[in-house]
Amino acid sequence: MSSLTLKQFQDQVSELLLRHRSLLDVLSKFQQTNAAANRSVVKSITECGCIGIQATKQAYHSEMTLDEAKDVLGNHVSGHLCEHCTEVVSAELGRNLFYMSALSNILEVDLEKVVENESKKCSTLGLFNMS
């Protein structure tokens, strides 16, 4: 089975989106699905407990090399999503992606081009891209 392209997904969303075609509706649904995705991660911590947060100050100092920083800096997550939580988080991210695609369609933004441009920027700027 061939993988679905972002363009194909955007086209599919365009055909399926009937009720929330207004830019304002799509913006609010995009925000709502983003909150739901965040909430599903929080619930995996607070209700299921399959993952935990061990947040402390990052032990970074300016004398570190980039390789040393990669070894020292962490993501604060302990554990792994269980099968149920993976399913819920994935579903919420999917809904969020649906409304991101709808927003892109309304504004005539090609998501494949967005990903391509962001990838080029990451390649050019490397670690300094998101600082």
Side-chain angles (χ1 to χ4, degrees), residues 8-26:
Q8 290 169 324
F9 184 69
Q10 270 190 265
D11 291 345
Q12 184 179 30
V13 168
S14 180
E15 291 190 22
L16 294 174
L17 192 68
L18 297 173
R19 190 165 160 224
H20 301 288
R21 292 194 78 84
S22 158
L23 175 61
L24 294 176
D25 284 340
V26 170

Side-chain angles (χ1 to χ4, degrees), residues 27 48 73 81 92 116 121 123 130:
L27 282 171
C48 178
L73 302 177
L81 289 175
E92 295 298 349
E116 181 182 313
K121 198 165 67 171
S123 295
M130 301 304 277

Side-chain angles (χ1 to χ4, degrees), residues 20-81:
H20 301 288
R21 292 194 78 84
S22 158
L23 175 61
L24 294 176
D25 284 340
V26 170
L27 282 171
S28 66
K29 289 299 285 184
F30 183 46
Q31 185 175 23
Q32 180 183 27
T33 58
N34 186 56
N38 289 342
R39 180 73 180 136
S40 67
V41 174
V42 169
K43 289 177 99 173
S44 70
I45 298 164
T46 61
E47 288 186 11
C48 178
C50 59
I51 62 172
I53 300 295
Q54 302 296 323
T56 59
K57 180 180 177 183
Q58 296 279 16
Y60 175 79
H61 56 84
S62 58
E63 294 81 36
M64 283 183 171
T65 66
L66 292 178
D67 287 333
E68 289 171 334
K70 285 181 184 178
D71 289 339
V72 171
L73 302 177
N75 63 18
H76 297 144
V77 178
S78 62
H80 300 280
L81 289 175

